[in-house]
Amino acid sequence: MTTQAIGATTWVVADGYIPPSSTGPAPAMTSHDSICMLNAGDDPAHVAIQVFHTDREPVGPYELTVPARRAHHQRINDLRGPEPILPGVDYCLVIRSDHPIVVQHTRLDSRQAENALMSTIAYPSSR
């Protein structure tokens, strides 16, 4: 079955922040940011993530592949190379893909027992 690719090839997440502490059992309740990506097309999407900080040069790319016709949920806390993204530090992401994808940003803040979950669509850029 052939499916049509949807989305954009460049996405921006302007509100990145991994809460520095957690309550509840790990890993399910570990405070985290994640990007949820949908590749509805017929070709794998090769994704490069660039991380921007307020006080230093950008870091990246962090590279991953979203298989064709699949969803991929990537915890930002789990990105390791070229360096880990530290909790408690604000950041922004630019996500580029060689095929159109859809990107959503989610944060679980479990610093207190009353957990907060925030989710929003990333900004699709035409550049």
Side-chain angles (χ1 to χ4, degrees):
M1 176 179 173
T2 300
T3 55
Q4 183 176 7
I6 58 172
T9 56
T10 302
W11 293 85
V12 179
V13 173
D15 177 29
Y17 180 80
I18 300 168
S21 62
S22 305
T23 59
M29 297 310 295
T30 300
S31 292
H32 66 273
D33 274 7
S34 63
I35 50 175
C36 307
M37 295 165 281
L38 168 65
N39 177 7
D42 289 328
D43 297 306
H46 301 96
V47 176
I49 304 165
Q50 192 88 17
V51 181
F52 291 79
H53 298 278
T54 58
D55 58 353
R56 63 188 181 108
E57 289 299 307
V59 178
Y62 298 80
E63 297 179 341
L64 55 96
T65 299
V66 181
R69 299 177 305 282
R70 297 291 186 268
H72 178 77
H73 297 258
Q74 178 64 55
R75 281 192 184 198
I76 302 303
N77 307 41
D78 294 341
L79 294 174
R80 294 290 174 242
E83 66 183 53
I85 299 171
L86 300 177
V89 176
D90 56 333
Y91 65 88
C92 301
L93 302 175
V94 173
I95 302 154
R96 290 190 170 89
S97 174
D98 62 349
H99 294 285
I101 60 173
V102 176
V103 178
Q104 182 172 332
H105 172 242
T106 302
R107 175 175 302 134
L108 172 65
D109 186 344
S110 68
R111 289 178 283 185
Q112 53 189 356
E114 298 78 18
N115 297 316
L117 184 67
M118 182 257 336
S119 188
T120 184
I121 193 77
Y123 175 79
S125 174
S126 61
R127 298 193 178 236

